[in-house]
Amino acid sequence: ICSLGACSNNSSTNSPSSLSVFNSVSSLLSSSEEGEYFYITFDPQGGNMEVKEYKLKANEKLILPDDPIKENYKFIGWFYEKECVNKFDENKPITSNLTLYAGYEEEIKYIEINSLNDFKNIKENQNYILMQDLDFNNEIITPIGTRNNPYIGIFDGNGYTISNYKFKNNTYNGLFGYVEGEIKNLSTNVNISINTDETLYLGTIAGYLYKGKIENCSSRGLINVVSTSELLSTYVSGIVGKNEVGTITKCSSTISISNTNVATAYTGSIV
């Protein structure tokens, strides 16, 4: 099974794909002609398919079998290795016996977000996809995910924008408070003001990112933070308040930030 660049070979012994059916496909090949032949084996790696092995005449073009089917996975092609690193090149001549391995990627199932109420009911361990722009009209929201119960799912903004949300004086402030999952393809447009006397992590997408991933997100608008604490710090940025060993890629921000703190204030465009 190919997932995040790796494959496994959990083939079922009860599946037709685990049986050599070379004799049953002889009619598809020019096996009666004289000349050099190569044996081409297809390993479905847990998928189900009818043809397992071909006998191919030298210089004859290989006709690939039907794509194998694996429940909850999408077939992405044939590879030269079990680990699915190098994809099979149909235009490259075959000069020796060869085993090809099926590669797959997991099909992610998303729950659609079509309204403000849908967004407010997001669970920390589920995957979601935004189906339209959302405008909170200056409503105070509760960030999704805390340090003890972080957001670990995948949220796909699908190119849409979430606008005009406010925060209470939480430690982790963002659409997502504490994230260990993935947020992608989301834009924000905000005008936020907070007075605090506590440690604060604030980003329009996520307050705190820990070993998670933020990709292809953007922010615009205004953030104004005033802290009266003489000991505690504030971390304020356009995308993520603070990042700890997470990954942030293809993000941008034109947001204007004022972060006033009598102790220490950390401010950034992205993080």
Side-chain angles (χ1 to χ4, degrees), residues 147 172 178-180 201 207-213 240-248 271:
R147 189 180 189 93
Y172 304 104
Y178 200 100
V179 176
E180 294 183 9
Y201 304 94
Y208 203 103
L209 179 66
Y210 179 72
K211 293 184 179 180
K213 182 178 181 181
V240 176
K242 185 174 181 180
N243 175 30
E244 184 178 353
V245 296
T247 302
I248 303 172
V271 63

Side-chain angles (χ1 to χ4, degrees), residues 196-202 225-229 232-236 241 259-267:
T196 183
D197 58 0
E198 300 178 358
T199 298
L200 176 74
Y201 304 94
L202 191 155
V225 174
V226 176
S227 173
T228 58
S229 172
L232 304 177
S233 301
T234 53
Y235 301 79
V236 183
N259 185 11
T260 304
N261 193 328
V262 296
T264 305
Y266 299 93
T267 304

Side-chain angles (χ1 to χ4, degrees), residues 41-112:
T41 302
F42 292 91
D43 186 338
Q45 302 218 91
N48 180 22
M49 71 177 193
E50 295 181 358
V51 178
K52 175 72 173 180
E53 187 177 68
Y54 277 147
K55 181 181 179 183
L56 187 70
K57 188 176 181 180
N59 299 319
E60 184 179 4
K61 182 177 176 60
L62 176 63
I63 300 175
L64 296 176
D66 292 338
D67 296 347
I69 297 172
K70 175 67 176 177
E71 187 176 1
N72 296 325
Y73 289 86
K74 178 183 178 182
F75 175 73
I76 59 172
W78 295 101
F79 293 80
Y80 291 104
E81 320 87 354
K82 290 182 178 181
E83 297 75 18
C84 307
V85 177
N86 298 294
K87 199 168 186 178
F88 172 65
D89 185 351
E90 296 183 49
N91 297 316
K92 185 177 180 180
I94 295 175
T95 58
S96 64
N97 295 338
L98 182 66
T99 297
L100 297 174
Y101 300 90
Y104 307 90
E105 62 182 9
E106 188 174 2
E107 289 186 333
I108 300 174
K109 295 182 179 180
Y110 291 99
I111 299 170
E112 292 186 357

Side-chain angles (χ1 to χ4, degrees), residues 33-227:
E33 300 176 11
E34 296 182 358
E36 187 178 14
Y37 288 86
F38 301 116
Y39 291 93
I40 313 300
T41 302
F42 292 91
D43 186 338
Q45 302 218 91
N48 180 22
M49 71 177 193
E50 295 181 358
V51 178
K52 175 72 173 180
E53 187 177 68
Y54 277 147
K55 181 181 179 183
L56 187 70
K57 188 176 181 180
N59 299 319
E60 184 179 4
K61 182 177 176 60
L62 176 63
I63 300 175
L64 296 176
D66 292 338
D67 296 347
I69 297 172
K70 175 67 176 177
E71 187 176 1
N72 296 325
Y73 289 86
K74 178 183 178 182
F75 175 73
I76 59 172
W78 295 101
F79 293 80
Y80 291 104
E81 320 87 354
K82 290 182 178 181
E83 297 75 18
C84 307
V85 177
N86 298 294
K87 199 168 186 178
F88 172 65
D89 185 351
E90 296 183 49
N91 297 316
K92 185 177 180 180
I94 295 175
T95 58
S96 64
N97 295 338
L98 182 66
T99 297
L100 297 174
Y101 300 90
Y104 307 90
E105 62 182 9
E106 188 174 2
E107 289 186 333
I108 300 174
K109 295 182 179 180
Y110 291 99
I111 299 170
E112 292 186 357
I113 299 295
N114 292 288
S115 66
L116 296 179
N117 191 56
D118 288 344
F119 189 87
K120 294 174 186 177
N121 286 292
I122 285 178
K123 306 290 187 184
E124 287 80 1
N125 61 348
Q126 298 289 330
N127 303 320
Y128 297 89
I129 184 166
L130 188 61
M131 302 305 294
Q132 63 180 44
D133 294 334
L134 297 180
D135 189 336
F136 277 90
N137 292 312
N138 296 318
E139 181 180 345
I140 294 175
I141 68 169
T142 300
I144 302 162
T146 64
R147 189 180 189 93
N148 293 329
N149 189 25
Y151 182 73
I152 59 174
I154 298 174
F155 184 90
D156 187 346
N158 202 21
Y160 290 108
T161 300
I162 300 180
S163 306
N164 300 320
Y165 47 91
K166 306 288 187 181
F167 302 118
K168 293 180 180 179
N169 188 12
N170 306 294
T171 300
Y172 304 104
N173 282 298
L175 282 171
F176 296 83
Y178 200 100
V179 176
E180 294 183 9
E182 179 179 351
I183 316 295
K184 59 184 179 180
N185 307 323
L186 179 62
S187 296
T188 60
N189 183 11
V190 299
N191 188 338
I192 296 171
S193 293
I194 290 182
N195 294 324
T196 183
D197 58 0
E198 300 178 358
T199 298
L200 176 74
Y201 304 94
L202 191 155
T204 67
I205 303 293
Y208 203 103
L209 179 66
Y210 179 72
K211 293 184 179 180
K213 182 178 181 181
I214 308 289
E215 181 179 14
N216 196 33
C217 292
S218 65
S219 66
R220 57 192 174 97
L222 173 67
I223 297 176
N224 181 38
V225 174
V226 176
S227 173

